[in-house]
Amino acid sequence: MNIIRTGDYQEMSQRAARIIAAQIILKPDCVLGLATGATPLKIYHLLIAWHESGVLDFRNVKTFNLDEYKGLSRDNSQSYSYYMHENLFDYVNIDPENTSLPDGTSVDSEKECMNYENKIRLAGGIDLQLLGIGHNGHIGFNEPGNSFVPKTHCVNLQKRTIEANSRFFASSEEVPKQAYTMGIKTIMMAKKILLVVKGRDKAEILKRAITGPVAPEVPASILQLHPNVTLIADKDAMEYL
Ligand code: PGA
């Protein structure tokens, strides 16, 4: 694992955005795996700025997001689809047809998951997957459990995740209790993985994920087995490493 410690969130974002930009420049029709949450926000803002200055062309880029809340439509302001439009897609020249997230409103969960998995495969797989980590060690919405679930599936969100995500909702009651997420194998099949982490509140789980046993109790620990992972974390998140 390539580990990059940065002074602060700004530097973490710059280092990560440069890796994504390099991927787009080297392979203009690359497939990016994208993440939501607070951590990637500045990365997306930098990518937009580089697009505006003519450095980045998203015309042929394809994207697949890690996850989406079950039950939220694309135009719901809390959906991850909405987040992606607000924070990236609407400000770059990406073809909306080339952007994919699981459809939170799909009535047939199994079919939705199978279709999403197939769509990634048909696109040729993910070249570069951006990841954050949850306080409980989740990647995407792969929550801690007794086993690693390989493929895209529907999960029951854990109390800790619902509480953490309630900061984006009016109250924790409003946070959906289920979500679609890429599976662990879906993520591990990406050719390259870029894990970004900020803040002291993630320091303990980051240490467990990077130096602890590889076990489904800490889903991110599986990344120890991937041959091409870059971790970029600010000094607060790296406190115990
Ligand atoms: P955050 O979320 O970037 O908002 O901390 C990370 C995650 O839960 O995967």
Side-chain angles (χ1 to χ4, degrees):
M1 188 177 295
N2 179 23
I3 300 180
I4 300 172
R5 178 194 166 105
T6 67
D8 56 19
Y9 175 57
Q10 173 73 18
E11 192 192 346
M12 182 218 83
S13 306
Q14 260 168 0
R15 299 288 294 258
R18 272 190 223 145
I19 290 174
I20 298 171
Q23 174 69 71
I24 296 171
I25 291 166
L26 289 172
K27 188 178 176 192
D29 61 348
C30 64
V31 179
L32 298 177
L34 298 179
T36 51
T39 313
L41 278 175
K42 200 168 266 302
I43 298 174
Y44 294 144
H45 297 167
L46 285 165
L47 294 177
I48 292 169
W50 294 339
H51 167 69
E52 284 171 351
S53 63
V55 176
L56 281 183
D57 182 359
F58 285 78
R59 194 176 334 177
N60 295 314
V61 172
K62 284 200 177 80
T63 66
F64 288 91
N65 266 77
L66 283 166
D67 42 20
E68 178 60 284
Y69 288 117
K70 187 170 181 192
L72 297 194
S73 64
R74 295 184 195 287
D75 52 7
N76 184 308
S77 64
Q78 304 295 353
S79 74
Y80 286 163
S81 175
Y82 194 94
Y83 168 109
M84 288 311 303
H85 280 275
E86 282 278 286
N87 292 297
L88 182 67
F89 298 158
D90 289 355
Y91 302 96
V92 295
N93 64 334
I94 198 160
D95 180 349
E97 290 288 310
N98 286 344
T99 66
S100 301
L101 291 94
D103 179 358
T105 61
S106 187
V107 280
D108 187 339
S109 291
E110 252 175 62
K111 196 166 158 205
E112 179 60 30
C113 294
M114 211 171 69
N115 287 347
Y116 200 62
E117 201 69 33
N118 283 339
K119 208 171 168 187
I120 295 172
R121 193 172 45 81
L122 286 173
I126 292 166
D127 290 299
L128 176 62
Q129 175 68 56
L130 178 63
L131 284 182
I133 184 173
H135 294 103
N136 61 3
H138 73 202
I139 45 176
F141 272 136
N142 289 278
E143 300 281 49
N146 300 324
S147 62
F148 291 114
V149 182
K151 294 194 172 170
T152 301
H153 58 289
C154 183
V155 285
N156 294 322
L157 299 178
Q158 293 190 350
K159 197 162 162 265
R160 188 131 190 233
T161 299
I162 291 171
E163 275 163 13
N165 290 3
S166 65
R167 69 199 138 127
F168 302 115
F169 291 78
S171 70
S172 57
E173 284 75 56
E174 285 182 32
V175 184
K177 307 293 177 280
Q178 288 188 309
Y180 291 113
T181 181
M182 283 185 194
I184 291 294
K185 186 173 170 190
T186 327
I187 294 171
M188 288 293 278
M189 297 258 295
K191 296 177 188 83
K192 283 168 281 179
I193 291 179
L194 180 55
L195 174 63
V196 288
V197 192
K198 73 170 170 79
R200 190 150 299 150
D201 54 317
K202 298 277 178 71
E204 201 182 314
I205 193 65
L206 184 60
K207 180 177 181 246
R208 285 180 68 198
I210 303 306
T211 64
V214 175
E217 291 82 39
V218 181
S221 63
I222 195 81
L223 300 174
Q224 294 177 36
L225 304 182
H226 192 282
N228 195 338
V229 178
T230 299
L231 161 65
I232 307 183
D234 68 8
K235 63 177 184 324
D236 291 341
M238 295 281 276
E239 189 171 335
Y240 305 131
L241 281 171

